[in-house]
Amino acid sequence: MSKTVRTFLSGASFALGATVAFSGTAQANTELLDQINSYSQDDIAQVNSVFQLSDVSPSDWAFDALRNLVENYNCIVGYPDGTFRGSRPLSRYEFAAGLNACLQQIERMIQSGGSEVTPEDLAALRRLVNEFEAELATLGARVDDLEGRVEFLEDHQFSTTTKLGGEVIFNLGAAFGEDNIDDQVTFSDRVRLNLDTSFTGKDRLRTRLEAGNITAFDDATGVDTARLGFDTDNDNDVEIGKLYYRFPLSDNIRAYVGAVGMGLDDIADSTSPYFESSGSGALSRFGRFNPIYRGPDGAGAGFNLGLGEKFTFTAAYLADDGDVNNPEEKNGLFNGNYTAAAQLDFEPSDNIMLSAVYARRYQKSGDVNLTGSTGSDVAKDPWDDGGFGEYAASSDNFGLQASWLIGEKFNLGGWVGYTNADIEDPTVTGNAEVWNWAVNAALLDVGGEGNVLGLIFGQPPKLTNADIDFGGGQGSSFDDEGETTYLAELQYRYKLNKNITITPGAYVIFNPNQNDDNDTVVVGSVRTTFSF
């Protein structure tokens, strides 16, 4: 939620940073009120701690209450020099003005779905309102009946621990090509509701409810690379899309435990800041981030370890959430499909991010997918596509990612990924290698603040060589199978307001499925994202 708050009362902004040495009585003081009303917004600046206000005394009972309000909700401001125009203590009228500012800020937070307002803070606010009732009344009718407003806030919170957030996508899209393409224009939707619960203020339990009918364009085109980055099709039935808990173990360690839908990109930074989001990032599935991050996932655990100011180490173990609750052979948490991964991030400056990721994967027979459904059919499962049958496979996956914000308006990024896979079967041996890469560019604030012009170009996962050996001299091998597939995406994210973004764009797939005999595929989309 926003931490920048400006509150207006009687045509002016008012400031307070903590409890003060109180002076005066509750009588009207015209001269002092004139002084309060003379404060201008140009004279005040946000502070985050009462200790920044040099003329505040901690000797009064209200010190801790006001300190918690200002530091929890940033609802009080002070002058840039850290004082309130001199060394004099604040009057009770100035205090009342700041108290009203905090009440209005908390009221706005709750009305917008905020969940971080605690019962303890509401109780402190009630006590302060009772103490300064006369001063608040003197300030005018705009602060009348504050006791009733506090009761309203207490009665109308969604939850004292849970914040509700949501995202709705309307998509107008179609795939085009010369032959064998179902090129009908579609209109579809996806809805996500996130319930984020905190028990300590530093942790988060995320429960995501999801429904949608956005179909994958792989069926219409016969090409996995044609998939949208936000396709979800469960006939608009509500399902649990994610369920995981994030919490600190120490000042530099954050841990994750998940039961449903937790991916490696939820734990590790995919280093694709302007394209990774499904709701506001790349239109294509391949364009969001390195396919190395896609694999068996859903349930498991992981952690981030801060190594000084520039390095972060991440490790995770994830199992297919369709397997973990099944006690049968080749299922469960450790005997089914899994991903074990480690990543090292390096941030030499605020504008540059570099990362290296390694993932060890096992996928059962019939579940092998070396590309995360972003590349060619032959790269997805080299041996099954070659007509040799279905085999389990293990793979070593390596990725390098980079993102560089050049100046304030241009971001350049990209990645390269490599997969080396082996058949896991006592009677058959086989090996395959798959490569992918991409570069992306984001031009910021084009045509208005918050707008983004984005370009992506790359090679979706490509099988470069593979072999299979049945023993007795029986087998097959091939190198650099087929032509190279390329994807180019152009999009423009127009921020209509802070809650609505419209993204028209298209991506083109050249030599689909590593075959230059296949016609070029074009996918067009107009994605409208509502967030709240």
Side-chain angles (χ1 to χ4, degrees), residues 82-145:
T83 70
F84 279 87
R85 293 290 173 86
S87 59
R88 63 172 177 78
L90 295 179
S91 73
R92 293 175 64 90
Y93 295 102
E94 291 170 299
F95 179 88
L99 176 59
N100 183 61
C102 275
L103 182 62
Q104 290 179 344
Q105 161 67 348
I106 292 172
E107 185 175 16
R108 282 194 297 270
M109 289 169 56
I110 293 174
Q111 289 174 346
S112 64
S115 62
E116 299 177 14
V117 184
T118 67
E120 293 78 11
D121 287 341
L122 285 175
L125 193 60
R126 180 189 294 274
R127 185 182 179 193
L128 292 170
V129 167
N130 290 337
E131 175 71 16
F132 296 93
E133 182 178 3
E135 289 79 10
L136 291 168
T138 302
L139 289 174
R142 300 181 71 178
V143 293
D144 286 348
D145 198 21

Side-chain angles (χ1 to χ4, degrees), residues 447-460:
E449 185 177 357
N451 301 336
V452 179
L453 179 65
L455 174 66
I456 304 166
F457 183 79
Q459 173 194 292

Side-chain angles (χ1 to χ4, degrees), residues 434-487:
V434 178
W435 286 87
N436 86 90
W437 59 265
V439 292
N440 59 60
L443 192 59
L444 312 181
D445 297 336
V446 178
E449 185 177 357
N451 301 336
V452 179
L453 179 65
L455 174 66
I456 304 166
F457 183 79
Q459 173 194 292
K462 174 188 178 180
L463 180 69
T464 57
N465 64 76
D467 61 68
I468 187 167
D469 186 354
F470 298 100
Q474 300 295 314
S476 178
S477 65
F478 41 90
D479 295 322
D480 198 13
E481 177 69 7
E483 300 295 325
T484 300
T485 299
Y486 294 104
L487 178 143

Side-chain angles (χ1 to χ4, degrees), residues 64-238:
D64 287 336
L66 289 173
R67 178 181 62 190
N68 288 337
L69 290 178
V70 69
E71 294 183 353
N72 288 347
Y73 309 110
N74 282 20
C75 54
I76 301 172
V77 294
Y79 291 104
D81 61 359
T83 70
F84 279 87
R85 293 290 173 86
S87 59
R88 63 172 177 78
L90 295 179
S91 73
R92 293 175 64 90
Y93 295 102
E94 291 170 299
F95 179 88
L99 176 59
N100 183 61
C102 275
L103 182 62
Q104 290 179 344
Q105 161 67 348
I106 292 172
E107 185 175 16
R108 282 194 297 270
M109 289 169 56
I110 293 174
Q111 289 174 346
S112 64
S115 62
E116 299 177 14
V117 184
T118 67
E120 293 78 11
D121 287 341
L122 285 175
L125 193 60
R126 180 189 294 274
R127 185 182 179 193
L128 292 170
V129 167
N130 290 337
E131 175 71 16
F132 296 93
E133 182 178 3
E135 289 79 10
L136 291 168
T138 302
L139 289 174
R142 300 181 71 178
V143 293
D144 286 348
D145 198 21
L146 292 180
E147 177 72 14
R149 287 164 62 185
V150 172
E151 292 179 358
F152 175 84
L153 298 180
E154 292 175 330
D155 293 341
H156 289 78
Q157 292 188 96
F158 171 75
S159 169
T160 58
T161 59
T162 300
K163 179 179 179 179
L164 173 64
E167 180 185 82
V168 176
I169 292 177
F170 289 166
N171 185 64
L172 188 68
F176 305 94
E178 292 184 8
D179 298 314
N180 302 317
I181 299 293
D182 296 329
D183 57 359
Q184 299 300 312
V185 176
T186 63
F187 182 68
S188 51
D189 69 89
R190 189 189 75 183
V191 179
R192 286 178 171 176
L193 296 177
N194 290 329
L195 302 173
D196 289 333
T197 302
S198 179
F199 305 98
T200 67
K202 298 180 179 180
D203 60 341
R204 183 180 75 182
L205 173 65
R206 167 155 290 186
T207 305
R208 172 178 290 173
L209 303 179
E210 183 174 83
N213 66 353
I214 300 177
T215 58
F217 279 126
D218 56 341
D219 291 334
T221 63
V223 182
D224 272 354
T225 312
R227 289 188 58 175
L228 292 163
F230 49 94
D231 55 19
T232 300
D233 188 10
N234 61 2
D235 295 324
N236 271 326
D237 293 332
V238 179

Side-chain angles (χ1 to χ4, degrees), residues 491-524:
Q491 59 157 264
Y492 178 62
R493 271 172 265 167
Y494 176 68
K495 198 171 183 64
L496 188 62
N497 56 46
K498 68 178 182 178
N499 299 111
I500 303 175
T501 302
I502 302 174
T503 308
Y507 49 96
V508 183
I509 304 162
F510 304 95
N511 306 323
N513 279 330
Q514 296 185 218
N515 189 339
D516 59 1
D517 290 331
N518 291 334
D519 294 324
T520 299
V521 173
V522 179
V523 178

Side-chain angles (χ1 to χ4, degrees), residues 300-313:
F303 67 88
N304 310 125
L305 171 63
L307 303 172
E309 296 182 356
K310 298 183 181 299
F311 289 92
T312 302
F313 175 76

